[in-house]
Amino acid sequence: PILEKRAIIFGAGWSGREIVKVLIHNEKNYREKAYKIFGFIDDDEKKTGKQFEGVRILASSEMLQKYATRLKLDEVIVAVPYDKSIKGKLYN
């Protein structure tokens, strides 16, 4: 692809990690859909700073807007399977 989509994944659980596998670790999908994944956003403080599938967990949802603006994201990929898992302003 000529242009990569700049994205961040909201949710570093099983769903988020599977999305990373599909979007950036699968060569055929990458050639067709090219994503530059800058990191995960996740509210589990124990995960912050860790990496899954080679993608770092950057911060909690409170920082999502700042990261989206700073990184000039094209997309935020929501990988949270249950709405009850989303906390704070994002759910409202």
Side-chain angles (χ1 to χ4, degrees):
I2 296 172
L3 300 173
E4 288 182 315
K5 294 178 184 96
R6 302 167 63 85
I8 210 165
I9 298 177
F10 180 74
W14 181 84
S15 299
R17 293 191 304 265
E18 288 299 308
I19 289 171
V20 167
K21 286 179 190 176
V22 169
L23 292 180
I24 66 176
H25 294 317
N26 181 308
E27 189 175 329
K28 180 180 182 283
N29 284 336
Y30 180 77
R31 281 195 310 256
E32 293 174 5
K33 299 174 179 73
Y35 277 85
K36 168 102 172 115
I37 305 296
F38 285 93
F40 290 104
I41 294 291
D42 197 287
D43 284 331
D44 184 346
E45 293 176 7
K46 294 178 223 159
K47 293 179 183 175
T48 302
K50 294 183 179 179
Q51 286 192 15
F52 292 110
E53 303 298 332
V55 178
R56 192 166 151 245
I57 300 172
L58 302 170
S60 68
S61 60
E62 294 172 357
M63 298 295 292
L64 179 59
Q65 186 172 1
K66 288 183 182 186
Y67 273 99
T69 302
R70 185 182 318 151
L71 297 171
K72 299 178 180 161
L73 299 178
D74 297 308
E75 294 182 23
V76 173
I77 300 167
V78 178
V80 180
Y82 305 104
D83 60 358
K84 305 272 187 270
S85 301
I86 301 174
K87 300 176 186 171
K89 295 179 188 177
L90 287 175
Y91 185 69
N92 296 330

